[in-house]
Amino acid sequence: MIWYTALVLAVAVERLAELVVARRNTRWSLARGGTEAGGGHYPAMVVLHTALLAGCLAEVHLADRPFLPAVGWTMAAVVAAAQLLRWWCITTLGPRWNTRVIVVPGLPLVSGGPYRWLRHPNYVAVAAEGIALPLVHGAWVTALVFTLLNAVLMAVRIRCEDEALARLPAADVRV
């Protein structure tokens, strides 16, 4: 279980790194006239993502969940792939990437990298990680609860992003 705790803590450190990048990118976006949309759902997102990490550790330790190698190693590979996809999104969007919904006027939609195939690839990474990280060590309740709550949150979040982008002049949102 020590290595699983280390994995969850490594994901937590990665999330903190994301927040550092997001804060820097927020300053960049606001300096260029960016405006935030949907800030009301952001605290719920922070709580949910924090609860995912805490739930992984709590369920594995308190419910004495076993490590099942066939599932565990497969899910560990999914966690790694989710991290790669997330950082591909961050790299592709550059200073536009954020944990908040901030739209900068005058910038076209990004259509490269994973955005070539998916409209919201970062959320694919979040969903995959939310299922896989708990299942690495059998925390199926955490995986189920996170997935259900995340689906609700993503419905709100994606609607918020799409509405914010739709308010831009047509020239700003062409692909």
Side-chain angles (χ1 to χ4, degrees), residues 42-171:
Y42 188 75
M45 190 171 74
V46 171
V47 168
L48 181 61
H49 285 249
T50 303
L52 169 65
L53 300 174
C56 285
L57 295 177
E59 183 175 351
V60 166
H61 290 282
L62 296 174
D64 197 29
R65 298 289 190 224
F67 175 75
L68 304 172
V71 174
W73 291 117
T74 301
M75 292 300 105
V78 173
V79 170
Q83 299 308 318
L84 291 173
L85 177 57
R86 174 177 291 117
W87 282 95
W88 189 18
C89 293
I90 292 168
T91 302
T92 300
L93 290 176
R96 296 192 216 181
W97 180 86
N98 213 302
T99 56
R100 297 181 176 273
V101 177
I102 301 177
V103 178
V104 179
L107 298 178
L109 284 179
V110 172
S111 59
Y115 296 89
R116 185 176 315 134
W117 300 288
L118 298 168
R119 185 160 171 91
H120 299 284
N122 192 65
Y123 301 145
V124 172
V126 169
E129 180 186 76
I131 293 168
L133 184 61
L135 292 180
V136 165
H137 212 294
W140 62 270
V141 173
T142 300
L144 180 63
V145 170
F146 176 84
T147 299
L148 293 173
L149 294 174
N150 188 56
V152 172
L153 183 60
M154 285 303 97
V156 171
R157 175 79 172 200
I158 289 170
R159 186 175 349 105
C160 172
E161 284 186 13
D162 289 345
E163 287 172 1
L165 290 171
R167 286 192 295 270
L168 289 173

